[in-house]
Every structure is written in structure tokens, then in C-alpha cells.
Amino acid sequence: MTGSRDCVLAIDLGTSGPKVAVVTLDAEVVGWQTRPVQLSLLAGGGAEQDPADWWRAISEAATAVLEQTGAAGRIVAVAVTCHWCGTVAVDGEGAPLRPAIIWLDSRGSRYVPEICDGLIRVEGYGVRKLAKWVRLTGGVPSLAGKEPVAHMLWLRHNEPELYAKAAMFLEPKDWLNFKLTGVFAATHDSITAHWVTDNREIDEIRYDPELLDWIGVPRAKLPDLCGATEVIGTLTESAAAALGLGAVGADGIQVIGGTPDVQSAAVGSGAVDDRHAHIYVGTSSWATCHVRYKKTDVLHNMASLPSPLPGRYFVAAAQESAGVCLEYLRDHFLFADDALGTGPAPEDFWQRLEQVGQTAPAGSGGLIFTPWLYGERCPVADDTLRAGFHNMSLRTGRAELIRSIYEGVAFNTKWLLKYLERFVGARCDPIRFIGGGAMSQLWCQVMADVLEREIHQVVEPRACNARGVALLASIGLGHLQVEDIPSRVGVASSFTPNPEHREILDRQFAAYLQIYAKNAPIHRSLNRRA
């Protein structure tokens, strides 16, 4: 497997559905197909999806892209990347016992304090436990409750019979790998947010018995660990048939450990050198970069965690709502399905949205949007925060509403970037921009103006997750080295800050921070669950 014509079938499962791509071992994206999946938002902060729906959509998208590209005979590996911090409870045969609890779910937040408590507390954590969690793992279970620890606690308290029956709790990515291979396994990076592994030696990551005891989950209910670039098994005949690959050859098709979406995006952005940053804007958003050391900023919910790249850490700093804010505007206000509805959004909705948003001035006429539709993770962990338009007047029109969303997400990114750069001890400039949001020329320029950084729009920015996990497969198969990655990921366009927008955006950003400080207590009183 040395020719670039050999390909990886890269499965990228996002919250809205999978993107399945054919990517060469040299990271050329040959083609991709997407299919939608349903998201159920439930009372009390619940968010669930049906794993069977994932598999159906993946199978349909894989079959379609293999037909589109004619690449079925060139596939030598399959690799999965997926939304992170979810929980699939399965029986001994790997069959889900209930819908998957995904990263948006905060129902378990009320149970997290009981496992984090202690005689002396700091920021809601017992000092002894806080010290050990940070020392070993790099982080702590979030009190916002949007992680597998909280999911499992919620199941134990609310569905005790199912909890007892569950043979294994798997991350969504690791359940998909089971569907592909019949092997129960988690990668060192996918298991990290369970906060039960000792990550001090990057090449010797392992479960810690005391941390397992603290969260109350038996070791037997969690999978064995491996590296993201390791081969965990070969594709089963049934999985190959479902994906449209037909009969596999005598050597089989290798399935690589893979990685969650935050990590695959970091690789697929091409910004893998130390302290080289990228921004992702999709449903959610994040800013991250690679470092060589383990470090934690508890106050801003930021830590360097195991990277899928061998021997490396990456800084995890995610914000909850980004592109979903524009989808919310579309589905609940512009094209709502109600008695006032005007029908479905046009196929060229995103192009029209950008055209309208571009007509508003920088600063959106003084309008400020705070993008906390589902709480926030970084730089503050607070699931009670809520979004809003601030400083609206009779002069505010649709153009200002639209542009303020682009700017509001950028303001939150600037807030986060301040602590990211402090964490790594360096100014991140230029910054690579990826994800569906990076398709927008307006958003690229807004990011440059707000962040005061040169923004590099990556080639095929929507395919970065698939490209990233394919690069991991290429490394695992021995075709590429980590040092080859930057040269395999091109830059489509560069955007420099417009100095004419500096004064107004600085003023807006200062007001943005004041809006948070003054409104956070109000949100907390309105949205705190009993």
C-alpha cells in the first residue's frame, strides 16, 4: 500500500448526519456524500439519537459515494471520526439498549457534584479529587453535565435496570468501530472525557482504578484502549456489504482506531505543528492547537489532552453553539413551519443569507448577538447561559440580525482565543479556518476582523474531519509521517484584518463581555434545574 491511488473510506458522523468520503492515502478528497439523521431534544436538557439511524445513514452515504467515485476496489482502510462525549449503552453483543445520549445532553449535571465533592471545595470540586483528576487526566468532569460521566450517572439514577444490564458503555465513534469489526475498543483520545485514564505518560495511557471508583463505573463496562492510528481489526463481511464494498479481498480491509471530531479536525486542518492553531465552525465551534506538554486551566475549562497523533497532546477549547445559530434563525424565524410560514427555505439559502448579511455594516449597527443557545463550555462552563440579541432598535433589520450572528460567534471565539494563547504562551497567527462556516467568505473576513489575525481558509473546509481521519489511517498504514501533514493540506484563500473595523468591533467586544457578566446570574436563576 504505497500508491496514492489507494483510498480510505472516511466516515465522519456529525450531529446532523454523516459525511462519508473517499480520500486517497495522500489526503486528496475524491468525493463525499451526506445523509441526515434525527436529533431528539428532550425535557430537562436531554439530547438523544438512534444508533440504528446512524448506521442506516452511513450505509446509504457510503454506498452512494462509492458509486459516485467508482473507488470500491481501491479502498484499503476504513476510519471513523464522530461527535465526541456521547454514550451508547450496549449489551454483550454490541446491540444498543436505548437511544444514544449525545454531547448536548445535560440531564446528568445534577449528579456530577456528588462524585466531585470533598471537605474543602474549590469551584465546586473537593480539593483532593480536583488535584488528582488534573494531575492524572488533565481535566475534571464538567459540572455542566455534558460528558459521558454525567450520562452514566443519569442512567444509573434514572434507568437502573438498564444500567445494570449494560455490558459496555461506548463513545459513538467506538460503537461504530464495533459495527465495522465486532471489536470493543476505545482510543486513548476518545476515552479522555470519561476522566478515568492516567494521561501523564503519553505513550502509556491506562485506566486508573481510583478514578473508576470515584465515578462508580466498573472497569468491565468500559472497553480496552488502543491508539488512534492502530489497526483494531478487519472489516466484517456484513459491514462491507452494508457499506457497498461487496466482497473483501483475502487481506481484508483494515479498520483504524480513528478519533473524535475535534481531534480529526485538528489533523485535517493541517495545523499540526506545535502552537499552530485552527478554528472550526460547524454546529458547534472550537479553537485548538498541538503542544508537547500536559497542562490544565480549570477556570476556563481548557486542557491539553491526548492527541490522535502519536506522542502529542492537543489543547481542547470548545464552544457550544456556532453554525447552529444560523440554522436556528432559519428554522424558527425566517422559514418556520407554522401558520405564518412562507414555505421551506430555498436551496440557495446560505448564499442568500450571506448576500443579505454583507449589506449590514461592521458592528451590525450596534446589535450584539450572544450565541449561547445551549449553554457554554469554553471559556466558561455554564449550561444555564442563553442566547440573545442585545441593543436592538427600530433601525435593526434582517441584515443586522444575520451579520450579528456571524460576529457574535466570532466574539465568543475571541474570548476563547485569549485564554488559548495564554495557555500555549504564544500568539496564534495565522489561524486556519475549517468546517462549514469556513465556506462563508463573510465569516472568514469577520473572523479576521474580530480576532485581529490572518485567517487561512483551508481547501475543502467541510471535509477536514474526513481528511483528518484519513490522514491518521495513512499514518497507521505506514504511507505518511506526521511531518508530511502540513504539505498535504492546502489553503484556498487568506483574509487579513480590515483596520477600518477595529474601533467598532473592539467596542462591541467589550460590551459582549459586559453582557455576559451582568446577565449570567439572571440566566442562572431562570434556567437552573431543581
Side-chain angles (χ1 to χ4, degrees):
M1 282 165 305
T2 57
S4 62
R5 280 183 52 80
D6 290 331
C7 295
V8 178
L9 188 67
I11 298 170
D12 170 20
L13 177 62
T15 309
S16 59
K19 178 187 287 97
V20 181
V22 171
V23 186
T24 71
L25 291 182
D26 287 315
E28 177 189 354
V29 179
V30 180
W32 78 73
Q33 289 281 327
T34 64
R35 293 294 185 274
V37 296
Q38 294 297 311
L39 169 64
S40 298
L41 296 177
L42 309 173
E48 297 181 349
Q49 290 184 319
D50 184 352
D53 199 19
W54 295 341
W55 186 245
R56 173 200 54 77
I58 288 168
S59 298
E60 291 177 1
T63 300
V65 75
L66 290 171
E67 290 178 355
Q68 170 195 345
T69 60
R74 297 160 53 192
I75 301 299
V76 296
V78 179
V80 177
T81 183
C82 186
H83 49 72
W84 195 18
C85 293
T87 302
V88 186
V90 300
D91 63 19
E93 301 301 315
L97 297 172
R98 67 178 317 283
I101 303 174
I102 70 163
W103 61 278
L104 283 166
D105 194 297
S106 61
R107 288 174 293 182
S109 60
R110 69 185 64 184
Y111 307 113
V112 178
E114 69 187 40
I115 69 166
C116 298
D117 208 0
L119 292 176
I120 303 173
R121 290 185 296 172
V122 175
E123 297 292 328
Y125 297 92
V127 170
R128 188 180 76 84
K129 288 185 175 181
L130 177 64
K132 180 162 184 176
W133 257 315
V134 170
R135 181 166 54 87
L136 267 61
T137 71
V140 291
S142 170
L143 298 177
K146 296 180 179 180
E147 295 170 341
V149 172
H151 301 163
M152 292 183 288
L153 288 171
W154 185 86
L155 288 172
R156 192 165 74 206
H157 283 84
N158 293 272
E159 299 179 8
E161 292 184 3
L162 183 143
Y163 178 89
K165 182 180 178 182
M168 197 81 65
F169 296 111
L170 301 173
E171 274 279 347
K173 186 266 297 181
D174 300 324
W175 180 78
L176 289 174
N177 276 344
F178 174 83
K179 286 290 288 185
L180 295 170
T181 64
V183 175
F184 288 121
T187 50
H188 299 135
D189 48 352
S190 69
I191 204 67
T192 300
H194 286 63
W195 309 114
V196 291
T197 52
D198 185 343
N199 304 327
R200 289 174 295 178
E201 297 294 332
I202 193 65
D203 297 320
E204 295 290 338
I205 294 173
R206 58 190 179 275
Y207 288 111
D208 182 82
E210 187 173 21
L211 298 183
L212 287 167
D213 183 62
W214 285 354
I215 70 168
V217 177
R219 165 65 184 87
K221 286 183 180 286
L222 296 174
D224 292 339
L225 304 179
C226 66
T229 59
E230 290 183 37
V231 175
I232 63 171
T234 56
L235 191 67
T236 66
E237 291 185 6
S238 60
L243 297 175
L245 285 165
V248 297
D251 294 335
I253 294 174
Q254 307 300 301
V255 178
I256 308 299
T259 192
D261 54 1
V262 178
Q263 294 91 321
S264 64
V267 176
S269 73
V272 297
D273 293 337
D274 291 351
R275 298 180 177 85
H276 285 200
H278 84 272
I279 296 167
Y280 169 90
V281 170
T283 300
S284 59
S285 179
W286 58 72
T288 188
C289 58
H290 284 87
V291 294
R292 300 277 176 172
Y293 49 82
K294 190 173 82 68
K295 179 180 174 182
T296 300
D297 178 355
V298 174
L299 293 178
H300 301 102
N301 204 27
M302 198 176 296
S304 53
L305 304 174
S307 166
L309 298 176
R312 304 282 291 282
Y313 293 95
F314 82 104
V315 185
Q319 61 190 60
E320 205 73 292
S321 302
V324 72
C325 298
L326 291 173
E327 293 177 0
Y328 184 84
L329 181 72
R330 177 193 65 193
D331 298 338
H332 293 266
F333 294 99
L334 301 181
F335 296 95
D337 183 14
D338 57 24
L340 295 174
T342 57
E347 291 186 3
D348 62 346
F349 167 77
W350 296 110
Q351 293 91 327
R352 295 193 194 188
L353 189 81
E354 182 146 338
Q355 288 173 9
V356 175
Q358 286 175 335
T359 65
S364 303
L367 185 67
I368 297 174
F369 175 73
T370 55
W372 309 311
L373 282 169
Y374 217 76
E376 192 51 278
R377 287 177 185 258
C378 293
V380 292
D382 187 346
D383 70 323
T384 67
L385 285 178
R386 292 296 179 265
F389 291 100
H390 304 265
N391 202 35
M392 187 179 294
S393 76
L394 287 174
R395 294 180 179 274
T396 302
R398 284 205 294 193
E400 287 78 17
L401 288 171
I402 292 167
R403 188 182 184 102
S404 73
I405 294 179
Y406 289 95
E407 292 178 343
V409 172
F411 287 147
N412 214 76
T413 303
K414 181 171 184 171
W415 191 18
L416 186 154
L417 182 64
K418 170 185 175 181
Y419 296 104
L420 175 65
E421 292 183 333
R422 182 179 297 175
F423 189 102
V424 302
R427 177 183 171 91
C428 298
D429 194 6
I431 297 174
R432 292 198 169 200
F433 191 16
I434 63 172
M439 295 292 294
S440 165
Q441 302 289 307
L442 175 58
W443 223 336
C444 289
Q445 188 60 54
V446 166
M447 282 290 185
D449 291 347
V450 169
L451 302 183
E452 301 179 75
R453 302 290 188 276
E454 184 174 348
I455 297 297
H456 288 177
Q457 180 192 45
V458 171
V459 172
E460 296 283 16
R462 294 173 297 174
C464 279
N465 291 16
R467 180 194 292 123
V469 79
L471 281 163
L472 293 176
S474 189
I475 292 169
L477 297 176
H479 180 74
L480 292 178
Q481 303 296 317
V482 173
E483 294 75 18
D484 299 322
I485 291 175
S487 66
R488 296 303 195 277
V489 184
V491 173
S493 299
S494 297
F495 297 80
T496 57
N498 185 338
E500 295 180 2
H501 299 163
R502 177 79 282 113
E503 182 179 353
I504 179 63
L505 293 176
D506 281 349
R507 186 165 68 246
Q508 297 279 89
F509 178 64
Y512 182 93
L513 297 180
Q514 288 181 314
I515 290 168
Y516 162 73
K518 294 181 182 299
N519 285 277
I522 299 172
H523 290 310
R524 196 170 302 122
S525 66
L526 288 173
N527 302 311
R528 177 180 288 151
R529 290 187 292 276

